[in-house]
Amino acid sequence: MQVFPKSANYWSRGSIIAGLFVLASLGWVILTIQRSDFVTQANQFIEQPVQFSHQHHVGGIGIDCRYCHTAVEVSTSAGIPPTKTCINCHSQIWSTSPYLEPVRASFRDDTPLQWIRVHDLPDFVYFNHSIHVKQGVGCETCHGRVDRMPLMLQKSSLQMEWCLDCHRNPSQYVRPRDQITTMGYQVPDGTTQAELGAQLVKAYNIAGVEHMTSCSVCHR
Amino acid sequence: MRRNLFVVVLLALGAGACRQDMHDTPRYEAYESSAFFADGKAARPTPTGTVARGWLREDETLYTGRANGELVAEFPFPVSQADLQRGRDRYDIYCTPCHGALGDGQGMVVQRGLRRAASYHQDRLRDEKVGYFYDVVTNGFGAMQGYAEQIPVRDRWLIVAYVRALQLSQHATMAEVPADRQGALDNPPPKKAETPAAH
């Protein structure tokens, strides 16, 4: 007795191909979700207790990043400024603005402003700001055009493949040390990033790919 | 067998993002809040008068700009050309917002409403001792707050050295420029392309 019609041969072969296709698609969907802003929390504005605008302070007034983030050249953490740093100017400018009342209250009562953290690497990753800044990785390279952010947001995925992109070949990104805090950095005329980057990697003694992609460099 | 494999794959996919224990270990990170301490801060303030071993500020001149209570006229250490460059670098970060790149007191923050900062190019400040400038950077003056928390001691002295260089640059004659550098003054370096846009 013949249960299956002859066309079942085609269906069975077709279903194998379709199954593979479904599996591959599923893999693609999972990977895409993993890399999406929804998972990495990149490109999302985060409300803060004070609506501090980097766009105004960096882009408008031209204050150097290190005026507030004083520890970035010497420490793992770039440093969140104490309220006193705000008061340097805001004891006089906008000193009666209701927007800045939390800042004044913080200074008066000696209680810290509780900012919402924007960039948070997993705890199993060791990251140090000072070595990156010293080796010519500009603020902008990881944090994006901060001078155009009315509210701070995370520009990069902070995922491992993103770290490795640079660790495998830093010459794509490094810039001269005196341009670290420049926003909108452009390679000088007459040279290219590939050319200048390779020179800087050599000049700054940036380690080779074997070391830079070794597990224990970041997972220590 | 195939059924087991399927279950394992499914579990691996499902369990992948369940727990964040390794992402957020119980250790404190910089600036993290703490439920344990009454003030909510994980970073503990040192008790008043704490001195780290080897960090006692015995050198009055280096740390206060004074010797026996009097402002000093000499730097407490020799200042090299590289030091002067660093002084310029630090000046550009911490001082230009108010004092301006030229030291004329017309920085961007002043243009936005802060009380006008002092110009270094006045006789009173040209005649002041270096200890005076160090003292002002450290403790503030008038509307200016002190910068002791933001700028380390040595960098404060290097800023003072650069302020001296600025004063000289605005109060010199062509005859004082070394002969081999006079030509460079006729061809100033190109200005930086990026000027901050108004917001």
Side-chain angles (χ1 to χ4, degrees), chain A residues 67 73 84 88 92 117 123, chain B residues 23 25 29 90 143 146-147:
Chain A
Y67 184 91
E73 291 171 305
K84 152 80 172 52
N88 281 353
Q92 288 186 53
R117 187 163 191 175
D123 287 1
Chain B
H23 284 72
T25 55
E29 288 172 49
R90 299 295 110 174
Y147 277 74

Side-chain angles (χ1 to χ4, degrees), chain B residues 82-149:
Chain B
D83 286 338
L84 208 52
Q85 279 298 333
R86 176 157 175 97
R88 176 183 193 163
D89 186 52
R90 299 295 110 174
Y91 177 90
D92 285 346
I93 297 169
Y94 298 108
C95 314
T96 46
C98 293
H99 287 281
L102 203 57
D104 57 2
Q106 294 284 11
M108 197 50 136
V109 176
V110 171
Q111 293 175 36
R112 299 293 174 93
L114 198 85
R115 198 191 307 166
R116 187 166 186 270
S119 164
Y120 304 131
H121 314 302
Q122 48 177 304
D123 285 341
R124 178 178 78 82
L125 290 180
R126 273 194 285 261
D127 294 340
E128 279 292 0
K129 296 170 176 164
V130 289
Y132 171 84
F133 292 95
Y134 178 84
D135 181 64
V136 170
V137 178
T138 306
N139 300 315
F141 180 85
M144 174 183 163
Q145 307 276 328
Y147 277 74
E149 292 95 343

Side-chain angles (χ1 to χ4, degrees), chain A residues 43 45 52-66 68-69 118-119 129 138-156 175 180-185, chain B residues 194 199:
Chain A
N43 294 308
F45 286 115
F52 177 84
S53 166
H54 277 87
Q55 177 174 302
H56 168 70
H57 289 85
V58 181
I61 299 178
I63 296 174
D64 191 284
C65 309
R66 292 165 292 187
C68 301
H69 303 291
V118 177
H119 297 82
H129 269 98
C139 308
E140 180 189 0
T141 305
C142 302
H143 293 288
R145 290 301 296 269
V146 173
D147 62 329
R148 292 177 182 169
M149 295 180 189
L151 266 177
M152 178 48 64
L153 55 72
Q154 175 187 318
K155 196 65 206 161
S156 313
R175 52 172 85 180
I180 288 299
T181 59
T182 304
M183 289 287 148
Y185 166 75
Chain B
E194 187 90 352
H199 286 286

Side-chain angles (χ1 to χ4, degrees), chain B residues 7-22:
Chain B
V7 170
V8 167
V9 169
L10 203 69
L11 277 176
L13 283 176
C18 279
R19 296 181 64 101
Q20 294 289 312
D21 295 8
M22 296 285 280

Side-chain angles (χ1 to χ4, degrees), chain A residues 34-188:
Chain A
Q34 267 307 103
R35 289 175 173 134
S36 69
D37 289 353
F38 176 74
V39 169
T40 65
Q41 292 172 17
N43 294 308
Q44 290 166 23
F45 286 115
I46 293 174
E47 290 281 324
Q48 299 283 356
V50 182
Q51 303 308 306
F52 177 84
S53 166
H54 277 87
Q55 177 174 302
H56 168 70
H57 289 85
V58 181
I61 299 178
I63 296 174
D64 191 284
C65 309
R66 292 165 292 187
Y67 184 91
C68 301
H69 303 291
T70 53
V72 73
E73 291 171 305
V74 291
S75 172
T76 53
S77 162
I80 303 292
T83 308
K84 152 80 172 52
T85 305
C86 313
I87 295 298
N88 281 353
C89 297
H90 288 295
S91 57
Q92 288 186 53
I93 298 181
W94 298 106
S95 56
T96 54
S97 163
Y99 286 109
L100 295 181
E101 179 49 30
V103 178
R104 290 191 296 271
S106 160
F107 192 65
R108 254 195 329 264
D109 308 337
D110 196 23
T111 52
L113 284 163
Q114 298 199 18
W115 301 100
I116 313 295
R117 187 163 191 175
V118 177
H119 297 82
D120 192 7
L121 286 171
D123 287 1
F124 48 77
V125 179
Y126 173 85
F127 176 80
N128 189 320
H129 269 98
S130 65
I131 187 68
H132 288 86
V133 168
K134 189 160 182 280
Q135 301 295 58
V137 182
C139 308
E140 180 189 0
T141 305
C142 302
H143 293 288
R145 290 301 296 269
V146 173
D147 62 329
R148 292 177 182 169
M149 295 180 189
L151 266 177
M152 178 48 64
L153 55 72
Q154 175 187 318
K155 196 65 206 161
S156 313
S157 74
L158 304 187
Q159 285 178 325
M160 184 165 147
E161 67 175 357
W162 171 79
C163 302
L164 283 175
D165 175 42
C166 186
H167 272 227
R168 287 194 179 112
N169 181 13
S171 65
Q172 313 168 72
Y173 300 106
V174 290
R175 52 172 85 180
R177 280 179 186 143
D178 61 359
Q179 297 292 325
I180 288 299
T181 59
T182 304
M183 289 287 148
Y185 166 75
Q186 304 255 315
V187 180

